Amino acid sequence: LSIFLAPKSIIEDIQAKFSRTWWTGKDRGRFWTMTPWKTLCKPKAMGGLGIRNVRLFNLALLGRQVWRLINNTDTLCFKVLSSKYFPDGNMFNAKKVDKASFTWTSIATATETLKDGFGWQVGNGERINIWDDNW
């Protein structure tokens, strides 16, 4: 889950196994819900059990990879991915490639999801593009 964006069917299957584990009794064939699933997924401080939403957890782990690529530009992974997908060094302005790897497609999806929450600092102004950057 930390490298690839899991398909929706896999995430639903994992989520179903979580809920079945929680609600299944000794009969193993039948189960009934005592508490709604949304309540179980709430943080413990808010009255839930803190069970994670698998889709959001998958995106969070991919977001960690995005963060690593942004902050560690001297790694081999950054050099390989940037040479093919974002030659200017900016992940947020990646070029479209016809046959992108599944790893890059997953990271690009997380990048698009996280794009709105990211901010940037001006610094020395070298990396500012007043025509294309959202300001």
Side-chain angles (χ1 to χ4, degrees):
L1 290 177
S2 66
I3 300 173
F4 303 115
L5 184 66
K8 188 176 181 180
S9 61
I10 299 293
I11 288 178
E12 288 173 355
D13 189 39
I14 293 171
Q15 203 79 26
K17 293 207 186 314
F18 277 156
S19 65
R20 230 168 253 233
T21 301
W22 179 253
W23 286 313
T24 302
K26 292 182 180 178
D27 324 5
R28 296 281 180 205
R30 303 181 68 162
F31 61 94
W32 58 281
T33 61
M34 295 173 58
T35 308
W37 183 250
K38 288 183 179 184
T39 304
L40 295 177
C41 291
K42 286 183 182 178
K44 291 179 184 178
M46 295 176 67
L49 290 179
I51 297 174
R52 291 187 173 138
N53 181 332
V54 180
R55 186 187 69 79
L56 294 177
F57 186 61
N58 185 213
L59 277 175
L61 291 174
L62 284 169
R64 191 168 117 200
Q65 297 300 330
V66 171
W67 184 257
R68 283 183 180 166
L69 287 172
I70 290 170
N71 290 317
N72 302 324
T73 57
D74 58 339
T75 61
L76 179 63
C77 182
F78 178 84
K79 291 176 184 177
V80 169
L81 290 175
S82 67
S83 67
K84 184 169 184 178
Y85 301 112
F86 51 100
D88 63 348
N90 187 355
M91 287 183 61
F92 298 106
N93 294 330
K95 64 180 183 177
K96 303 291 182 193
V97 178
D98 288 335
K99 294 183 180 180
S101 69
F102 190 63
T103 303
W104 173 250
T105 305
S106 300
I107 291 173
T109 302
T111 304
E112 286 300 316
T113 303
L114 299 172
K115 192 181 221 179
D116 295 333
F118 281 159
W120 51 277
Q121 295 178 345
V122 173
N124 62 5
E126 280 182 8
R127 301 177 85 191
I128 296 176
N129 184 349
I130 62 169
W131 301 112
D132 294 328
D133 289 338
N134 185 14
W135 56 282

